[in-house]
Amino acid sequence: MAEIFYWDAVRRAHDEEMANDPLVFAMGEDIGLPGGTYKATQGLFDKYGEERVMDTPISENSYTGIGVGASMIGARPIVEIMSVNFALLATDQIINAAAKIRYMSGGQVGCPVVVRSPGGVAHQLGAQHSGRLEKLFAGTSGLRVVTPAFPVDAYGMLKTAVRCDDPVVILEHEAIYNLKGEVPDEEYFAPLEGARVVREGTDVTLIGYLMSTHWNLAAADKLAEQGISAEVIDLRSLKPIDADTLRTSLAKTHKAVICTEDEAPVGMSAEIMAVLNEQCFFELDAPPVRVTAEDVPIPYNHTLEKAALPDADKIATATQKLLGH
């Protein structure tokens, strides 16, 4: 099993799916000759040509609409939106078209389009380039929304998404493209549903996705030094959320800390909290706790930027308070 970068896992999935099916093509800004801002299509322009690895104008709504339309007549497009902040310009195509076409056509027309986009807070990119829009897509009926936090899921979920008949939004994170991890040497398809226990524990369940999974893992290390055993769950999918895995963990730990990179009001933590209360209530010994971003546009100043976000220390402190330490 090879250890590869996150971006290379995404690139490999593109390569394999394009080799497998001539109807698979990729489009987006700077994904052709430049190979993508994060190298996720590096080398594919030379291998598959400009008709299957298309550089597009800076017009997100237009080229996303081309991808949606192409998927309606049988193609399998992978649309890369360079930053999820720019996806706001394409929401009419993603939310008002891709998510609804099957339902409005009475099931006669599908829309198997994949939209990939990195988001999250990287490093001093400012409020307009630090969007965390998962609540927007996860709150839209008709979409699948997945958040691969590790290279193995970045590879396997993209491959599964390309062959899925539903429109799939894959939210990546700008800060983890250089994360390394093991990916099977043989072809691998990761499910688009289901959370994963990435660290077992017995005292508390730490719940997150994307970057917050990594913060939770770091917090678990800190808590272990104090004799607290934390179980860490990577949700992987935000639509649907896997309540069964959460319930199984809480049946063991009976306490939950939810960490998300977005803001608390109407954010993903609110939806996760609702799932815990509605479907896991009788496993809880205490109300779940949220650790989220501050309810402000992300500041450019690095000190303020860090202060606005959750981190391992904040998660560990919240967990200690929950456990009465």
Side-chain angles (χ1 to χ4, degrees):
M1 187 176 292
E3 188 175 78
I4 62 176
F5 289 111
Y6 189 106
W7 64 263
D8 197 22
V10 178
R11 186 207 59 78
R12 179 181 155 191
H14 274 87
D15 190 7
E16 291 180 1
E17 291 307 297
M18 294 180 75
N20 174 70
D21 183 351
L23 292 176
V24 177
F25 68 89
M27 58 194 312
E29 297 158 14
D30 292 341
I31 73 162
L33 275 172
T37 302
Y38 302 101
K39 300 191 286 188
T41 52
Q42 189 176 66
L44 301 183
F45 182 88
D46 292 338
K47 188 172 182 178
Y48 296 102
E50 62 182 359
E51 293 186 352
R52 295 188 65 196
V53 185
M54 302 180 198
D55 277 320
T56 66
I58 304 175
S59 181
E60 288 79 8
N61 197 49
S62 298
Y63 69 75
T64 303
I66 292 171
V68 169
S71 75
M72 292 169 63
I73 57 172
R76 295 279 170 168
I78 306 171
V79 176
E80 177 181 307
I81 298 178
M82 185 187 291
S83 165
V84 77
N85 305 274
F86 309 153
L88 289 170
L89 298 165
T91 50
D92 185 51
Q93 296 299 338
I94 299 171
I95 292 177
N96 217 19
K100 298 171 182 169
I101 285 168
R102 175 186 293 159
Y103 300 87
M104 295 186 71
S105 68
Q108 297 181 75
V109 180
C111 190
V113 64
V114 176
V115 177
R116 294 181 39 250
S117 191
V121 181
H123 181 75
Q124 290 191 279
L125 296 180
Q128 293 179 322
H129 289 74
S130 301
R132 294 132 295 146
L133 303 181
E134 46 269 38
K135 56 187 171 187
L136 178 65
F137 300 113
T140 300
S141 299
L143 296 176
R144 287 180 176 270
V145 182
V146 298
T147 53
F150 301 94
V152 65
D153 273 338
Y155 164 74
M157 292 180 112
L158 176 54
K159 286 178 66 66
T160 304
V162 170
R163 302 192 189 194
C164 178
D165 289 333
D166 301 325
V168 181
V169 175
I170 302 179
L171 298 174
E172 300 164 359
H173 199 290
E174 296 179 12
I176 61 176
Y177 280 111
N178 286 325
L179 173 72
K180 268 191 164 183
E182 290 186 340
V183 175
D185 297 326
E186 66 278 6
E187 193 171 37
Y188 168 70
F189 294 87
L192 299 179
E193 298 179 1
R196 179 180 295 134
V197 176
V198 294
R199 176 179 175 133
E200 294 190 351
T202 56
D203 296 329
V204 63
T205 299
L206 307 183
I207 303 165
Y209 58 90
L210 267 184
M211 182 55 77
S212 61
T213 292
H214 297 284
W215 291 331
N216 281 338
L217 286 168
D221 287 338
K222 293 177 178 290
L223 292 166
E225 294 171 1
Q226 301 164 33
I228 298 172
S229 173
E231 182 148 297
V232 179
I233 292 181
D234 174 23
L235 288 178
R236 297 179 66 255
S237 166
L238 300 185
K239 192 173 184 68
I241 289 175
D242 176 9
D244 289 341
T245 297
L246 297 176
R247 190 183 307 108
T248 299
S249 179
L250 290 172
K252 181 169 52 175
T253 66
H254 304 292
K255 295 182 178 62
V257 175
I258 304 161
C259 179
T260 67
E261 193 180 355
D262 65 352
E263 307 91 333
V266 204
M268 280 311 305
S269 64
E271 177 61 19
I272 298 165
M273 182 83 80
V275 170
L276 296 183
N277 284 327
E278 291 172 354
Q279 302 189 49
C280 310
F281 180 80
F282 292 104
E283 305 296 349
L284 293 167
D285 282 349
V289 171
R290 291 192 285 178
V291 181
T292 68
E294 299 296 331
D295 189 13
V296 295
I298 296 298
Y300 176 77
N301 176 281
H302 187 51
T303 300
L304 295 177
E305 181 185 62
K306 288 178 62 177
L309 292 173
D311 59 24
D313 288 332
K314 294 176 182 176
I315 297 165
T317 299
T319 303
Q320 290 173 294
K321 184 177 179 181
L322 174 65
L323 297 180
H325 282 241

